[in-house]
Amino acid sequence: RYVAVDISTAVDIAAEEIAAPGRECAFLQCDLMRLPFASGVFDIVVSEGVLHHTPSTRRALLEVARRVAPGGLLMAYVYARKAPIREFTDDHIRAAVADMTPQQAWTALEPLTRLGVALGELKTQIDVPDVPLLGIKAGRYDIQRLFYWAICKAYYRPEFSFDEMNHINFDWFTPKYCHRQTPQEVVAWCGEAGLVIEHQRAEEAGIT
C-alpha cells in the first residue's frame, strides 16, 4: 500500500500515470506543512526534491519525519547551497522573474540559456587554483561547468534541444520557494526530528 501527496493538481496526473493496478494506493492533493495523517503511520517515506520547495525546508522535514513509524525509513533529497556568487545570481534572477507570467519568464531566461550553450560549445578546459573566497576548489574544469557551479546556472547539455535546456533553467528560477542548504544544516535538522542518519551523500547539486 502507498500514498502519494502533492500540493498541486499534478497529483491527478500521477494517479493516471503511475497508479499500480491491483495495489491499494491513494493520491491526495494537500499541503506538506499540514498533512492529514497521524504521527508514525508510514513505514517508508520518500521525498525527492520537494522539501526545499516549501516556505521552510526545516519545517517540512520535521513534518514529514513525524509521520515515519519507529524503525521506519525516511529517504529525501534537497538542494545544496552553492558558491557565494552562484547563490547571489540564483536569488537575483529568481526575484527578477517572480512577477512575470510563465511566458514572460520563459522568454527572459532564453538569453541565459544561449549563454550556457555558447560556453558549452567552446569545449574549453582550464586549470583553476583553490579560491576559497569564491567557494571554488582546485581542479581542471570545463569552462561552462565552472561558470555553472560558481557563477550562474546557465544549463547546457549537448544532446538536449534549446527548449529542453531552457526548461531546466525555467524549472530552477521560477518556483517561489527554492531553498538551498548545507550538509551541516541537514544533519542538525535530522537530529531535531529524532532521525538517525544511516547514509548521507553531499554533492554539488544536492544532499541525499
Side-chain angles (χ1 to χ4, degrees):
R1 298 184 297 168
Y2 64 89
V3 175
V5 301
D6 193 271
I7 198 169
S8 76
T9 55
V11 74
D12 297 326
I13 299 173
E16 295 174 4
E17 296 291 332
I18 64 174
R23 299 295 297 272
E24 186 179 343
C25 55
F27 293 78
L28 307 178
Q29 183 179 358
C30 58
D31 187 343
L32 189 64
M33 299 302 201
R34 292 187 290 272
L35 291 168
F37 308 115
S39 298
V41 295
F42 295 109
D43 297 317
I44 300 173
V45 174
V46 181
S47 175
E48 171 69 20
V50 175
L51 304 179
H52 47 240
H53 288 309
T54 65
S56 166
T57 309
R58 171 187 163 275
R59 279 184 51 220
L61 177 63
L62 295 177
E63 284 297 314
V64 170
R66 190 158 62 86
R67 271 68 183 190
V68 181
L73 289 174
L74 169 61
M75 295 177 282
Y77 171 86
V78 294
Y79 291 143
R81 190 169 300 165
K82 313 300 190 295
I85 296 177
R86 166 67 195 270
E87 284 292 309
F88 171 82
T89 58
D90 276 353
D91 291 336
H92 173 76
I93 295 172
R94 184 166 291 108
V97 302
D99 294 327
M100 295 182 183
T101 66
Q103 184 57 56
Q104 288 171 334
W106 178 273
T107 301
L109 289 167
E110 286 181 338
L112 179 64
T113 302
R114 291 192 186 95
L115 175 60
V117 172
L119 291 170
E121 289 181 347
L122 288 175
K123 296 181 172 60
T124 300
Q125 293 190 336
I126 59 173
D127 292 310
V128 178
D130 262 320
V131 190
L133 291 175
L134 298 180
I136 298 174
K137 296 179 181 179
R140 187 165 183 81
Y141 290 85
D142 177 273
I143 194 71
Q144 186 273 332
R145 299 311 286 170
L146 176 63
F147 186 90
Y148 179 94
W149 289 118
I151 307 298
C152 183
K153 184 184 175 83
Y155 191 82
Y156 172 72
R157 192 164 176 173
E159 63 268 30
F160 279 18
S161 69
F162 179 83
D163 280 354
E164 286 173 321
M165 288 184 280
N166 203 54
H167 188 272
I168 298 292
N169 289 328
F170 180 90
D171 185 61
W172 178 258
F173 289 113
T174 55
K176 180 178 180 180
Y177 302 114
C178 190
H179 306 296
R180 289 86 66 191
Q181 24 283 308
T182 66
Q184 294 78 15
E185 286 175 324
V186 173
V187 169
W189 297 338
C190 286
E192 188 178 352
L195 299 171
V196 176
I197 298 176
E198 295 184 0
H199 170 80
Q200 178 170 309
R201 180 172 180 173
E203 299 175 294
E204 288 178 298
I207 304 160
T208 301

